Amino acid sequence: MTTPADPTYTWLGEELDLDAYLARIGFAGDRTPTLATLRALVRAHTTAIPFENLEIILGRGIALDLETVQDKLIRRRRGGYCYENVTLFAAALERLGFEFTAMSGRVTRGATTLRPATHSLLRVATADDDRHWLCDVGYGAGPLEPVELAPDRGEFRAGAWRFRLDRQLDAVGGELWTLYQFGKDGFVDRHTFATTPQYRVDFAVGNHFVSTSPRSPFTMRPFVQRFHADVHHQLDGTTWTTDYPDGTDEVRELEAGELPKVLAEVFDIELDEADAARLIRADWPAARGRGGLAT
């Protein structure tokens, strides 16, 4: 008789409404745990579900239980930040039979000071390939596809977007990876991560800090992203930036009253009348610059 797995080590894939999730991201392909399926899932998820922290700004906070996550991201067609996206994607991978390990990363964005490990990622293996793949569906800016975790990976393209992946060793000889992304300032380090396994309970701790601490930028102002194959939109407070794969960008300052309309038309996030009014009236500080994210 097989001993049931401790559910605290799982991602509760059996509780996921898989059909609804796949419909939400527009995936109609093969449901076997192959590399082709993984590539299609990553592309579909990253380009279908926006990144957002609006529940925090609206005073409701972020819950990571799977029922709440799938109600928000699937049924209500809202977005989420890294912990929510990875919780949902991990449940789908588990349900489909993929082998994977969750990991934590430190968002750097060119910072020279040590940042907390408050970003979530996945290291995935497939049934038809012996390599391991980085799946970063919760950052809000791609990559559009899984990235091979190879020491000599170097520069690569995911669609039209340019990245670089480097591996070094940490202080005790473990793997320490850095993902760079190309933009108007050239290649800038986006985040570092180690391959130490993480679990739902670890993400709960990080999520608590990110969603409640006054030191977290996500408790300070709205931060929303919408990523497509050819354009990336970012809303930081009232600053709306549109980035393109060639490194060019466009920046526009919005009035608070414009936010609900822009969220609906650009970011695919429709707030009801009460939430739209609450967002406009919210007493949150102005954006503190594009380099201030903790996750």
Side-chain angles (χ1 to χ4, degrees):
M1 179 177 178
T2 303
T3 302
D6 182 343
T8 59
Y9 287 90
T10 75
W11 294 86
L12 307 180
E14 290 303 315
E15 298 180 12
L16 176 68
D17 186 340
L18 183 62
D19 290 340
Y21 166 70
L22 296 179
R24 169 73 170 97
I25 65 173
F27 177 88
D30 187 34
R31 298 189 182 189
T32 56
T34 63
L35 181 54
T37 298
L38 183 65
R39 283 180 169 143
L41 286 169
V42 170
R43 176 176 284 263
H45 187 113
T46 54
T47 57
I49 299 181
F51 180 108
E52 52 134 315
N53 71 329
L54 297 179
E55 291 297 283
I56 302 171
I57 304 304
L58 294 170
R60 292 192 284 263
I62 304 295
L64 290 185
D65 62 282
L66 184 59
E67 176 55 31
T68 298
V69 170
Q70 64 180 333
D71 179 65
K72 180 188 176 190
L73 274 63
I74 298 174
R75 302 186 193 110
R76 293 165 51 206
R77 300 188 66 82
R78 286 279 301 278
Y81 61 16
C82 66
Y83 290 120
E84 297 167 282
N85 276 284
V86 171
T87 293
L88 184 61
F89 195 69
L93 292 185
E94 187 175 82
R95 181 73 170 273
L96 292 168
F98 286 93
E99 294 185 6
F100 61 90
T101 301
M103 306 179 294
S104 286
R106 302 178 188 274
V107 174
T108 51
R109 294 172 66 118
T112 57
T113 56
L114 183 65
R115 296 292 181 84
T118 55
H119 181 52
S120 54
L121 318 94
L122 296 173
R123 177 180 183 266
V124 185
T126 67
D128 62 337
D129 192 286
D130 60 1
R131 292 171 291 180
H132 289 92
W133 303 88
L134 169 66
C135 294
D136 193 5
V137 301
Y139 192 85
L144 279 168
E145 57 192 49
V147 179
E148 182 186 358
L149 285 169
D152 56 352
R153 188 69 175 94
E155 184 177 341
F156 65 94
R157 289 181 181 267
W161 301 92
R162 296 170 62 188
F163 298 88
R164 193 172 84 231
L165 183 65
D166 292 343
R167 189 192 73 163
Q168 296 178 318
L169 299 181
D170 63 20
V172 294
E175 291 184 343
L176 182 64
W177 299 83
T178 303
L179 183 67
Y180 299 79
Q181 187 163 5
F182 182 81
K184 69 174 183 178
D185 298 318
F187 279 102
V188 174
D189 52 297
R190 195 169 96 166
H191 52 65
T192 65
F193 60 94
T195 54
T196 307
Q198 300 287 288
Y199 304 97
R200 286 186 293 118
V201 66
D202 300 309
F203 286 176
V205 174
N207 179 62
H208 178 72
F209 170 82
V210 170
S211 63
T212 65
S213 172
R215 294 183 57 207
S216 167
F218 287 162
T219 64
M220 297 178 184
R221 80 278 190 183
F223 190 80
V224 186
Q225 299 182 84
R226 189 70 174 87
F227 183 65
H228 300 282
D230 58 353
V231 65
H232 170 240
H233 296 285
Q234 175 177 281
L235 183 66
D236 189 348
T238 53
T239 303
W240 170 18
T241 303
T242 303
D243 296 301
Y244 299 96
D246 64 359
T248 60
D249 67 5
E250 301 168 1
V251 181
R252 177 184 169 188
E253 292 297 329
L254 303 174
E255 298 294 332
E258 297 180 271
L259 291 177
K261 184 174 187 291
V262 171
L263 285 171
E265 295 181 355
V266 177
F267 295 89
D268 298 323
I269 297 173
E270 294 198 25
L271 301 178
D272 61 30
E273 187 174 339
D275 279 349
R278 188 177 295 114
L279 179 65
I280 293 170
R281 296 194 307 266
D283 183 21
W284 40 269
R288 286 169 168 76
R290 299 177 64 187
L293 293 184
T295 185

